[in-house]
Amino acid sequence: MPLVRIDLTSDRSSEQRRAIADAVHDALVEVLAIPARDRFQIVTTHDPADIIAEDAGLGFERSPSVVIVHIFTQSGRTTDTKQRVFAALSDKLAAAGVAGTDLFAAISENGPQDWSFGFGVAQYVTGELTVPTTGSG
């Protein structure tokens, strides 16, 4: 059950924003084998001047249309799985018009005690929800 934040520039149309969100979700469904309806995304637009994403020492320039994807998910993913997520994000977002140089992605892991789906309760802890395995979200 990943929670995904997608930050992008406000110069993208609503259709482009949806295509980007769909591409991110498709990558997670493909690599993490999460159910298609297990979708929690926050898409936030920013003035291009409000996203600063410079070279991290890799020697390439980003355009003003950077897309930042932050994935929060259960702990236990292997480095290989994370690498496959990053590759799938790049591939799927390229098809949605996002250059590889304009993608910045991060994965943050946490435990079942860190999730509440409503009512002020951590449902994985109370047993109302089954803790997903690392192969299913």
Side-chain angles (χ1 to χ4, degrees):
M1 196 294 323
L3 169 63
V4 180
R5 291 199 54 113
I6 302 168
D7 290 274
L8 42 76
T9 54
S10 57
D11 56 349
R12 295 186 184 272
S13 69
S14 59
E15 293 81 13
Q16 289 173 317
R17 292 192 304 266
R18 182 58 189 236
I20 289 167
D22 289 347
V24 169
H25 185 65
D26 291 348
L28 297 181
V29 169
E30 178 181 299
V31 177
L32 301 182
I34 63 171
R37 288 189 44 87
D38 192 356
R39 187 171 182 170
F40 298 89
Q41 296 178 313
I42 303 163
V43 179
T44 306
T45 60
H46 304 271
D47 184 278
D50 292 336
I51 296 181
I52 301 168
E54 297 178 352
D55 179 9
L58 296 172
F60 63 85
E61 295 293 322
R62 298 182 195 278
S63 81
S65 296
V66 67
V67 173
I68 298 174
V69 178
H70 191 174
I71 302 162
F72 301 87
T73 189
Q74 296 278 342
S75 61
R77 308 274 187 222
T78 65
T79 298
D80 177 65
T81 298
K82 292 174 186 176
Q83 291 292 90
R84 288 188 297 118
V85 166
F86 295 142
L89 286 171
S90 183
D91 290 344
K92 304 260 185 218
L93 285 168
V98 178
T101 55
D102 287 337
L103 170 61
F104 183 93
I107 297 174
S108 296
E109 294 183 318
N110 51 46
Q113 70 279 5
D114 299 316
W115 297 91
S116 174
F117 297 89
F119 306 104
V121 176
Q123 287 85 356
Y124 291 142
V125 173
T126 64
E128 294 172 75
L129 288 174
T130 303
V131 177
T133 64
T134 56
S136 63

